Amino acid sequence: MEQAPAPALDEAWSVARTRAVVEALITDCVGAISMVEIGPAAKVRESAMRTVSGVAASYASAGQHVASKTISTLKKLTQAQLETMRLSEAEVRRANQVCYAAGKVWSAATGSGAPSEVAALRSKVEDKHLRLSRFTEANLERMLLGGQMFNALRKAINAAGGRTKLEVKSAASARRRCAEDFFEASPLPRQLGIRVSDLDVYIRSGFGEDKAGWQRVALGNAASGEANDELGARIQGAAEGEGGWQLPRIDIGNAVEAALEESALASDLDILQAAITIHSQGGRQAYRDRAEGYFRDLRARREAGDPWSFPGA
């Protein structure tokens, strides 16, 4: 079936898109959204930021998938799809339990008024969460050191005017000064392998990257008293499949399909924005603007006969 000429990117369609046109739209949406995450060169790699956990927050995924987002995507797949990734529905549920429990332990260890000793942390967290989290004693000790650093950093942030003041783009110099001053004043960043650039991100965006890193650690550990089930390695394998494009292709592709099901004749830009809302649980305006810019570039390439593609497209 031949498709009628496409309207302008911001104009609604008068007829339904053919399947080929939908596939091209999915590809360009995947490309545009992923380029916001990993840059216009679309080079897939783990996030470069260091965390207290010692591992990157995200896998080497084009969508910068962290463990919780990876599991959220995997939960939407069929058993047959999961089997191609050496996973089962039961194992994805188990991974979700591990991540949830790890988040509970991390919150207790790093929140305001967190304890300084492992024994005190154990008394503060439910036994089931400690057990399901798979954290070792050494993990908990290091996490508590991170909690001490984050609590000291919170005070430094407040003394500099608060995160709301420091997170805006125009406050980049003040934020950097705050990070540098803290790095010089506290021995903890050096002890934990945290750089000034990492502190800058923590000041701007909060400590969620550290939580994500610890969730990866939890998944990689063996359950207490059991042989390692390699659950973490297989979750990572799913996130990094197809050169890191497997889950973004599925996740963003499903978001585009859902947006089209809701409004089949919506403009290409409206579909992109709807996909961002689904994929990114909202998405800040700056994120949306950058995605739209990349999308326009990719559409121009396609019209010129040089369509962008990714492994599996």
Side-chain angles (χ1 to χ4, degrees):
M1 177 181 173
E2 189 173 340
Q3 180 70 63
L9 296 182
D10 59 353
E11 293 179 356
W13 286 65
S14 58
V15 296
R17 297 168 174 86
T18 65
R19 189 63 216 171
V21 170
V22 171
E23 292 294 342
L25 177 60
I26 288 173
T27 296
D28 290 344
C29 284
V30 172
I33 294 171
S34 297
M35 286 175 185
V36 178
E37 301 282 354
I38 61 176
K43 183 178 180 181
V44 178
R45 57 186 179 274
E46 290 185 338
S47 55
M49 180 183 174
R50 293 182 185 175
T51 70
V52 174
S53 70
V55 302
S58 73
Y59 300 113
S61 159
Q64 291 287 277
H65 277 65
V66 297
S68 58
K69 185 176 180 180
T70 298
I71 293 165
S72 178
T73 300
L74 294 174
K75 285 164 65 177
K76 302 171 187 175
L77 305 187
T78 65
Q79 180 66 42
Q81 288 175 307
L82 291 173
E83 286 173 358
T84 67
M85 304 175 195
R86 297 171 51 235
L87 288 164
S88 68
E89 292 176 341
E91 287 172 323
V92 172
R93 286 194 297 271
R94 187 185 315 148
N96 190 60
Q97 290 175 330
V98 171
C99 273
Y100 178 79
K104 285 287 190 181
V105 176
W106 178 86
S107 294
T110 62
S112 180
S116 58
E117 302 292 335
V118 171
L121 176 62
R122 289 186 178 280
S123 68
K124 189 175 180 178
V125 180
E126 290 185 46
D127 287 343
K128 68 175 182 178
H129 291 145
L130 285 166
R131 175 175 50 81
L132 287 170
S133 74
R134 304 184 174 195
F135 285 133
T136 65
E137 194 80 1
N139 290 158
L140 297 176
E141 289 172 355
R142 185 174 177 87
M143 194 183 297
L144 286 171
L145 274 180
Q148 292 176 32
M149 182 185 75
F150 291 140
N151 276 314
L153 184 56
R154 285 186 182 99
K155 293 177 182 178
I157 292 170
N158 290 335
R163 177 168 286 121
T164 302
K165 177 182 176 181
L166 294 174
E167 68 182 356
V168 297
K169 188 175 182 179
S170 59
S173 295
R175 187 172 61 243
R176 183 75 178 188
R177 262 195 319 275
C178 180
E180 290 172 346
D181 290 347
F182 183 79
F183 187 83
E184 292 303 321
S186 172
L188 288 171
R190 290 183 182 82
Q191 185 176 348
L192 295 168
I194 301 299
R195 303 162 299 188
V196 170
S197 59
D198 306 316
L199 293 171
D200 190 299
V201 178
Y202 284 133
I203 293 168
R204 182 179 74 246
S205 304
F207 310 131
E209 295 269 333
D210 190 65
K211 176 182 177 180
W214 280 113
Q215 287 174 321
R216 283 188 64 181
V217 169
L219 286 168
N221 287 344
S224 180
E226 299 180 18
N228 196 316
D229 55 10
E230 297 187 349
L231 183 59
R234 285 180 290 136
I235 294 293
Q236 180 172 350
E240 298 181 352
E242 297 179 7
W245 291 97
Q246 178 171 246
L247 291 191
R249 177 176 58 78
I250 293 171
D251 202 22
I252 299 170
N254 288 346
V256 171
E257 298 278 14
L260 287 170
E261 187 173 336
E262 181 73 21
S263 183
L265 302 181
S267 73
D268 289 356
L269 289 181
D270 284 343
I271 294 298
L272 170 69
Q273 294 299 335
I276 291 172
T277 298
I278 297 169
H279 171 71
S280 303
Q281 294 82 51
R284 293 185 177 186
Q285 191 58 49
Y287 184 107
R288 292 176 176 278
D289 291 345
R290 290 177 65 199
E292 182 175 322
Y294 290 132
F295 183 77
R296 287 182 180 276
D297 292 343
L298 296 181
R299 291 268 113 172
R301 279 186 56 174
R302 187 172 294 280
E303 289 175 9
D306 180 32
W308 179 84
S309 64
F310 56 89

